[in-house]
Amino acid sequence: MTLPQLPTLWAMQPEALAALADTLSQDAEGRAARPRQEAQEALTYTVEDGLAVIPVQGALSKHGLELWGLRLLTSMRGIAAMLTSAAADPTVRAILLDVDSPGGTVDGIEALHGAVRQAAAGKPLYAWADGLMASAAYWMACGARRIGAPATAQVGSIGVISMHREYSRALENGGVRYTVLAAGRYKAAGNPVEPLSDEMRAYLQSGIDAVYELFLSAVEQGRGVSRDKALSMADGKIFIAGEALRAGLVDRVCSREEFINDIRRDMSMSLAELRAQNPDLEQELQAELEKARAEGAASARAQAADSERETLLALADVVLGPSADTLKAVVRAGVTPEQLKALRPLFAPKAASRSTAESDPARDRALEALAAAAAAPLSTAPEAVAEPAAKDDYMALVKEDMRVSGRTRGQAMAEVAREHPEAHALWLECAQKEKK
């Protein structure tokens, strides 16, 4: 692998990019004689007392790069996978990006920055510049809640770079001539065997400027600064930690231990501190709680009404038999007692048969039974401790059936009435006597 096969756009320190290119060129020339190294360990994070530490080390690229067991480029997708896993890990309460990187490719950095933002939306996320946090590494980390660095750390180098190597003079001196054939005016722009014209330079620069604009926007949003402030931070300079603090690139210059202690204090913030720092939060939470209580009470009332209705309909089914179908249809249609009372004259029996209709003993018994059922206490919850039910105690049998089967009260009453008709008849008789 040689440099022309690498991505053309980088958010990386120029000297680090040049060193990487030289390393790859030397490896390509001497790879046959180089012994194979042991494979690198898979990317993973550690968790201690609820803090997940995600390592971000070395130059970065979308897929990473390993040659002969050596990791030359760290996978951005591997880092994003660790972020996703830590955000979903129930043992993790906060996340720390432990960064020591000169940056990396432009390809893949937007997706990694998005993974950082998504993880930070669910859990507090911090970043530590462990020696070097440059270019794409800063692009990734600028959305952290707080960025810390030791006094000797280097932070910044915010910008975009592309290296163009041109070998036309060397090839000519060596007696080699290349002819580039391409369809499309800019198809061969930046090729290494032809001098770079002003037109092709402007074309390549336009792409660099577009990526730089994305970088600036990420810094603006992540650090909460204006465009002018972002431009002052993103001029390509690399800052020592103290300068980075004054420029607004980091939030704290301290030891690693002090920074982690700050994070742990955030994790264990007391309720009093939370109230002091967020005076409106308690009122919002109280409002949410009251809303939840009101909704719960309304739901409980609706469930109680449904339970009562089903109890009465089940009893009507037992007492009235097929005649209960009309009652069920009326109730389930949502007709209220007041509406029924208003409609009653339309369904009143004719004068000739009124005395007979009003003295119907079967109807009177059914109405009395329904009235007794409506007066009885309703509960859909089984008794915590149930005594063995007597065979002639209808309501005790109902409670026992609810406890064993999980049926509602109305369902249990109907079931027990079918299985124990004698107990049911005795209960009806007692209910009618109490009514009189």
Side-chain angles (χ1 to χ4, degrees):
M1 176 178 291
T2 57
L3 183 61
Q5 295 172 281
L6 292 173
T8 57
L9 288 182
W10 294 78
M12 189 172 179
Q13 279 186 302
E15 56 270 30
L17 179 56
L20 175 63
D22 290 340
T23 298
L24 292 175
S25 297
Q26 292 168 10
D27 188 87
E29 294 169 0
R31 63 179 179 270
R34 180 176 298 182
R36 185 175 181 83
Q37 304 291 326
E38 292 296 325
Q40 298 286 310
E41 294 182 0
L43 296 176
T44 185
Y45 64 91
T46 59
V47 181
E48 184 176 349
D49 297 332
L51 178 63
V53 179
I54 296 178
V56 182
Q57 298 174 348
L60 312 175
S61 71
K62 180 161 59 175
H63 300 291
L65 176 64
E66 290 188 11
L67 286 178
W68 303 105
L70 295 176
R71 181 178 296 138
L72 299 181
L73 295 171
T74 299
S75 169
M76 293 180 183
R77 289 187 172 179
I79 297 170
M82 287 192 287
L83 282 163
T84 301
S85 180
D89 190 337
T91 67
V92 172
R93 295 168 54 200
I95 299 170
L96 174 64
L97 293 170
D98 192 4
V99 183
D100 186 7
S101 170
T105 62
V106 165
D107 184 25
I109 190 58
E110 270 284 276
L112 179 55
H113 178 66
V116 170
R117 291 184 58 190
Q118 185 172 359
K123 294 180 179 178
L125 186 145
Y126 306 83
W128 173 252
D130 188 21
L132 180 61
M133 182 188 286
S135 213
Y138 190 83
W139 190 336
M140 170 200 67
C142 66
R145 174 178 292 194
R146 193 156 59 245
I147 301 176
T152 56
Q154 299 180 73
V155 181
S157 189
I158 299 175
V160 183
I161 187 172
S162 177
M163 293 182 65
H164 176 256
R165 288 192 176 184
E166 191 250 307
Y167 302 100
S168 60
R169 182 72 60 85
L171 293 172
E172 182 179 347
N173 292 338
V176 180
R177 176 174 294 180
Y178 273 81
T179 301
V180 178
L181 303 176
R185 185 176 184 84
Y186 298 99
K187 184 63 177 177
N191 75 79
V193 297
E194 290 181 331
L196 193 62
S197 68
D198 291 342
E199 181 185 9
M200 294 305 168
R201 180 187 293 273
Y203 164 68
L204 296 176
Q205 185 64 49
S206 66
I208 294 172
D209 292 342
V211 174
Y212 181 62
E213 179 68 24
L214 294 175
F215 202 160
L216 281 174
S217 297
V219 173
E220 281 184 80
Q221 185 173 13
R223 299 299 293 170
V225 298
S226 66
R227 171 52 62 98
D228 288 342
K229 178 64 175 177
L231 284 169
S232 70
M233 298 161 63
D235 60 0
K237 290 180 182 177
I238 189 79
F239 299 91
I240 298 298
E243 297 173 339
L245 179 64
R246 289 188 289 274
L249 276 77
V250 302
D251 303 287
R252 182 85 192 274
V253 176
C254 60
S255 69
R256 179 189 177 89
E257 182 180 3
E258 288 175 318
F259 190 67
I260 291 180
N261 286 339
D262 286 347
I263 296 173
R264 296 204 184 283
R265 278 192 289 272
D266 287 350
M267 293 166 61
S268 59
M269 181 182 292
S270 68
L271 180 59
E273 290 171 327
L274 184 63
R275 286 173 172 170
Q277 295 182 22
N278 303 274
D280 297 331
L281 182 60
E282 185 176 6
Q283 295 180 0
E284 294 175 5
L285 292 175
Q286 187 65 30
E288 288 294 326
L289 181 60
E290 292 299 330
K291 180 181 178 182
R293 285 175 178 170
E295 291 175 349
S299 176
R301 287 194 297 270
Q303 291 178 1
D306 290 343
S307 175
E308 181 177 0
R309 182 189 66 184
E310 293 302 320
T311 297
L312 294 179
L313 290 179
L315 182 59
D317 196 28
V318 174
V319 176
L320 301 179
S323 302
D325 291 342
T326 301
L327 176 61
K328 288 182 178 181
V330 171
V331 172
R332 286 174 175 156
V335 180
T336 65
E338 291 75 13
Q339 291 170 332
L340 279 176
K341 186 175 181 180
L343 294 173
R344 187 172 183 177
L346 299 177
F347 302 99
K350 295 180 180 179
S353 58
R354 183 171 298 166
S355 60
T356 302
E358 292 182 347
S359 62
D360 184 350
R363 186 191 66 178
D364 292 342
R365 286 196 300 273
L367 293 175
E368 289 175 0
L370 287 174
L378 296 176
S379 174
T380 59
E383 295 292 332
V385 179
E387 296 293 333
K391 292 184 178 180
D392 58 349
D393 188 344
Y394 174 68
M395 291 309 300
L397 290 169
V398 169
K399 291 179 181 179
E400 177 67 12
D401 183 85
M402 291 168 62
R403 184 183 70 82
V404 174
S405 68
R407 295 187 182 95
T408 65
R409 192 169 189 273
Q411 293 170 338
M413 290 177 72
E415 184 65 24
V416 172
R418 283 192 286 269
E419 294 183 355
H420 302 277
E422 297 84 2
H424 180 245
L426 180 60
W427 176 76
L428 284 177
E429 182 179 347
C430 293
Q432 291 171 5
K433 288 180 180 179
E434 292 174 1
K435 189 68 175 177
K436 292 179 180 180

